[in-house]
Amino acid sequence: MRARILQRLGERVASPGDLAVELGAPLGVVSYHVRMLRDYDCVELVRTEPRRGALQHFYRATARPNLDDDQWRTLPSGLRGELAGETLTDLVTDLGGAADAGHLQDPDVVLNRTPLELDEKAFKKLNKLLAKTQEQALAIAEESAARHNESGTEVFPTEFAVLHFKRAV
């Protein structure tokens, strides 16, 4: 539930009430999980609005989609598992949609898989390189958004995914 809430709050600002309706879950359950995510510094309060004699709270994700190493390590292992599962589910869904739309036939698509044999030091070194690559990808996206805002250049949705994990033996 927390992973689903965090994913949605990474896309937009919403209240626990909005999320409860969208997720088909009781408001009390959603509110509890939003509070826990707030305690883990994964979401922040953006604004409040009066509704039916009470205040409705609106949140956005602060930690997702990009948790730094320290944030990731301090999350409870169950939440890390939920977030990993939700990310993989979203990735497979988006990949399937792109395939159905014929976008994977584009000659500019990058799709690589490279099994490696690494020791712990090399594993961590590669993780650092991939984190820097992701930072550069985000900077490139900001440059693109600035060009779009200034001159109206066309933008289109893409997805950048990085996976590096220890394989099951």
Side-chain angles (χ1 to χ4, degrees):
M1 179 62 68
R2 289 180 197 160
R4 294 171 67 201
I5 291 168
L6 196 54
Q7 186 261 335
R8 280 161 180 79
L9 292 177
E11 296 170 355
R12 70 183 198 296
V13 171
S15 71
D18 297 335
L19 295 166
V21 170
E22 183 178 333
L23 298 171
L27 176 58
V29 170
V30 172
S31 294
Y32 167 78
H33 288 296
V34 169
R35 278 193 307 276
M36 295 306 297
L37 289 168
R38 188 188 62 216
D39 291 346
Y40 295 136
D41 293 325
C42 294
V43 300
E44 69 180 355
L45 180 65
V46 175
R47 70 178 188 276
T48 59
E49 293 180 5
R51 289 275 163 94
R52 299 183 198 128
L55 278 181
Q56 189 171 21
H57 296 79
F58 290 83
Y59 296 90
R60 74 169 161 222
T62 59
R64 183 126 195 264
N66 301 313
L67 293 170
D68 66 30
D69 290 343
D70 291 334
Q71 288 172 317
W72 181 255
R73 283 189 194 99
T74 60
L75 292 177
S77 62
L79 182 55
R80 283 195 307 267
E82 290 175 27
L83 292 173
E86 186 75 20
T87 298
L88 290 172
T89 299
D90 292 344
L91 176 61
V92 170
T93 299
D94 291 348
L95 188 59
D100 291 346
H103 295 311
L104 298 183
Q105 299 167 8
D106 186 323
D108 290 328
V109 166
V110 176
L111 184 59
N112 295 311
R113 180 176 180 267
T114 309
L116 304 169
E117 298 288 331
L118 303 174
D119 63 11
E120 195 64 32
K121 183 176 180 178
F123 184 80
K124 289 180 179 183
K125 185 175 182 178
L126 183 51
N127 283 347
K128 286 182 182 180
L129 174 64
L130 295 174
K132 288 179 185 175
T133 301
Q134 183 180 21
E135 288 175 17
Q136 290 176 336
L138 292 170
I140 290 168
E142 287 179 15
E143 292 169 8
S144 175
R147 281 192 300 275
H148 174 70
N149 291 336
E150 291 173 10
S151 62
T153 59
E154 181 185 1
V155 295
F156 45 88
T158 71
E159 189 147 348
F160 175 76
V162 176
L163 297 172
H164 183 230
F165 54 93
K166 294 177 182 175
R167 292 179 283 143
V169 199

